[in-house]
Amino acid sequence: MARDGAIYVCQSCGGVHSKWAGQCPSCGAWNTLVEEQQASRPPGALAPTKSARSRSGLTFETLDVETPAPPRIVTGVSEFDRVCGGGVVPGSAMLLAGDPGVGKSTLLLQVSAQASLHGAKVAYISGEEAIEQVRARAQRMGLAHAPVQLAAETSLRAVIDGLKADAFDLVVIDSIQTLWSDQLEAAPGSVTQVRAAAGELVRLAKKKRVAVILVGHVTKDGQIAGPRVVEHMVDAVLAFEGERGYPFRILRGAKNRFGATDEIGVFEMGDVGLREVSNPSALFLNDTGERAAGAAVFAGLEGSRPVLVEFQALVAPSAYGTPRRAVVGWDTGRLAMVLAVLEARCGMSFGDKDVYLNVAGGLRITEPAADLAAAAALASSFADKPLPQDCVVFGEVSLSGDIRAVSRMDARAKEAAKLGFTSALAPRLAEEALAMKVYGVTRLSEAVDRIARGDFDGGA
Ligand code: TYD
Ligand code: MG
């Protein structure tokens, strides 16, 4: 039985339990239950009524009041600002999550430097690197002249006191996992420590109206260490991603109380830090030779921005009993669906074939509009017939084998035209809507037939 007033809170999922257990009954995580004193009354008992509450000083307001848009600290790193929703909001807390080594410290050092050069008062607190290391990096990136206030500190108390004593506009904490409070028995980096540190910093952000950016390392299974708890506390979560072996880095909004979450920022990691890539299509399609069989250029949308990427498929006879399915940059389940539709509706058979699908450049595509591009790449590899060099592909494939129209087809076509593409394999509806030549299809089988016949010159 629990002691009087004691509850056990899972540090991973936030589940509340009356008894301690080694494994959280809600989420199954191990060793995450921590004893806390119950602060609130049990539900129902002596709860104040609404009117009593308003008498006791709670004031109600209407929704219909003009609220000015929140002011923003424009850092000057425009890819970053756009993903934030137009700059960093004062008094907000943000988490930048990513694998170790992806470039979080590099990005935030650039953001800090640029913001300070634009007039913001910026503190960069590193718990991971010594001052000399940060300074050397800044020098290499040509940012040594930026008036950023640097500190190396891991004590939560010292950080909070330091930030309270001064009026900063923007504070970067690199990383939340290195901060620890001596008032807690848990080890640095543990869920309890991370939660306490994040909690204090978020409170400080609101109280002092300073924008706080926390760096968080992602654990192997893709969770932010100090699982999920930090995500719930902050106003925005940005994920910084990159495929090993590619220089491209993608900044993605995963949660944002002050902006859209589907925007991406594209960077290229170079010798002198991260370079902003304002025209990612040109980068992802940075090829010169003929487009081979199995390649299809997808005209996609990432947030508000059209982005062209190449889908590459390889369909090859399988040497083993169980054929292989491997996919990079796209969803495995979605590949299984497209293969099933190709088999059931287009008479193709993949039962004895290995299938590999790759999105070039290290971008991860989540749009359903990519279905037709994936299917076209597969069909092209299957028939060993290349698609026309100047043709982009987009469209959603339904289980019945129909091709559905997708959003903002004109924006996709415009971006394609800008990069020298002159035609599109696309939903029939696009024929009238687009200025370029469209090979319109209503069924996936029409697209597959066209690819197998190489029938592209006459138009539809
Ligand atoms: P870093 O920002 O330290 O990563 P994180 O903070 O996410 O752990 O970046 C580390 C990697 O970036 C490292 O492998 C070196 C590389 N890098 C460059 O290639 N060029 C540069 O100018 C910098 C600063 C780093
Ligand atoms: Mg780092």
Side-chain angles (χ1 to χ4, degrees):
M1 199 50 218
R3 275 187 284 134
D4 230 18
I7 51 169
Y8 297 88
V9 181
C10 173
Q11 307 293 295
S12 175
C13 71
V16 179
H17 307 284
S18 57
K19 274 192 290 196
W20 189 86
Q23 185 180 23
C24 171
S26 307
C27 71
W30 286 94
N31 295 327
T32 53
L33 294 198
V34 168
E35 181 181 327
E36 285 183 11
Q37 285 303 311
Q38 196 157 15
S40 57
R41 280 185 200 84
L46 295 172
T49 62
K50 251 189 195 152
S51 57
R53 278 196 199 188
S54 26
R55 268 203 306 274
S56 71
L58 182 63
T59 45
F60 290 99
E61 306 238 1
T62 60
L63 291 168
D64 185 28
V65 175
E66 286 277 319
T67 323
R72 303 266 181 177
I73 302 167
V74 177
T75 67
V77 179
S78 52
E79 292 289 295
F80 177 84
D81 288 338
R82 207 171 26 129
V83 177
C84 293
V88 184
V89 177
S92 73
M94 198 188 292
L95 175 71
L96 178 72
D99 287 318
V102 74
K104 300 181 295 299
S105 303
T106 309
L107 175 66
L108 290 182
L109 188 57
Q110 281 176 247
V111 166
S112 304
Q114 292 300 341
S116 72
L117 289 169
H118 279 78
K121 185 162 176 185
V122 184
Y124 183 101
I125 299 169
S126 177
E128 309 220 320
E129 291 162 303
I131 297 273
E132 291 72 34
Q133 273 173 294
V134 181
R135 207 179 269 143
R137 179 181 295 187
Q139 269 159 11
R140 198 150 52 82
M141 298 194 300
L143 295 171
H145 60 294
V148 178
Q149 314 237 27
L150 273 186
E153 185 56 70
T154 56
S155 157
L156 177 63
R157 189 62 24 231
V159 168
I160 296 283
D161 289 347
L163 295 179
K164 273 187 182 154
D166 222 328
F168 288 104
D169 298 309
L170 175 68
V171 173
V172 172
I173 307 284
D174 187 3
S175 67
I176 187 70
Q177 276 112 338
T178 53
L179 285 191
W180 64 282
S181 159
D182 50 14
Q183 287 164 4
L184 296 171
E185 277 176 31
S190 65
V191 177
T192 310
Q193 287 282 6
V194 166
R195 193 168 82 140
E200 287 230 28
L201 287 162
V202 170
R203 264 195 301 280
L204 182 93
K206 310 278 168 219
K207 202 163 153 210
K208 298 264 300 177
R209 285 194 63 69
V210 41
V212 173
I213 305 179
L214 310 174
V215 171
H217 292 296
V218 170
T219 49
K220 277 188 253 33
D221 54 3
Q223 288 209 324
I224 294 160
R228 309 275 156 215
V229 280
V230 179
E231 277 187 65
H232 295 309
M233 294 167 148
V234 293
D235 301 300
V237 179
L238 308 185
F240 203 35
E241 309 166 348
E243 287 286 334
R244 217 161 271 289
Y246 290 106
F248 316 127
R249 300 285 180 267
I250 314 287
L251 185 67
R252 213 180 267 280
K255 157 180 171 179
N256 195 345
R257 287 188 185 142
F258 305 111
T261 52
D262 53 359
E263 288 289 348
I264 64 164
V266 183
F267 298 87
E268 187 178 2
M269 181 64 92
D271 297 338
V272 287
L274 292 156
R275 187 176 68 83
E276 293 185 63
V277 178
S278 48
N279 185 357
S281 301
L283 187 83
F284 291 123
L285 288 179
N286 193 8
D287 56 356
T288 42
E290 282 277 296
R291 217 167 298 291
V297 175
F298 168 51
L301 272 184
E302 291 288 348
S304 60
R305 194 161 52 165
V307 175
L308 304 193
V309 278
E310 191 179 74
F311 272 66
Q312 302 165 341
L314 179 63
V315 179
S318 179
Y320 304 101
T322 316
R324 272 185 66 95
R325 306 281 182 256
V327 47
V328 176
W330 205 45
D331 182 49
T332 327
R334 206 82 195 170
L335 172 65
M337 187 209 88
V338 167
L339 287 176
V341 176
L342 285 170
E343 291 200 322
R345 314 288 176 197
C346 310
M348 297 164 76
S349 169
F350 295 94
D352 55 352
K353 302 252 190 331
D354 288 342
V355 174
Y356 302 91
L357 188 75
N358 180 25
V359 177
L363 198 62
R364 189 166 48 81
I365 301 291
T366 51
E367 257 195 296
D371 292 349
L372 185 58
L378 291 163
S380 159
S381 177
F382 193 93
D384 197 22
K385 285 270 179 64
L387 282 146
Q389 186 76 11
D390 62 358
C391 183
V392 293
V393 188
F394 57 84
E396 184 177 342
V397 174
S398 74
L399 286 177
S400 59
D402 290 331
I403 303 297
R404 296 219 188 97
V406 298
S407 62
R408 298 189 55 205
M409 298 196 284
D410 52 334
R412 299 172 196 267
K414 257 191 214 132
E415 176 76 0
K418 222 163 59 187
L419 282 135
F421 290 83
T422 56
S423 64
L425 178 63
R428 176 88 74 208
L429 217 73
E431 275 178 12
E432 262 110 78
L434 301 189
M436 62 172 36
K437 175 153 70 171
V438 174
Y439 303 104
V441 284
T442 52
R443 304 273 306 158
L444 182 57
S445 52
E446 293 167 42
V448 169
D449 287 346
R450 200 181 267 280
I451 292 166
R453 288 200 312 270
D455 175 17
F456 279 98
D457 289 321

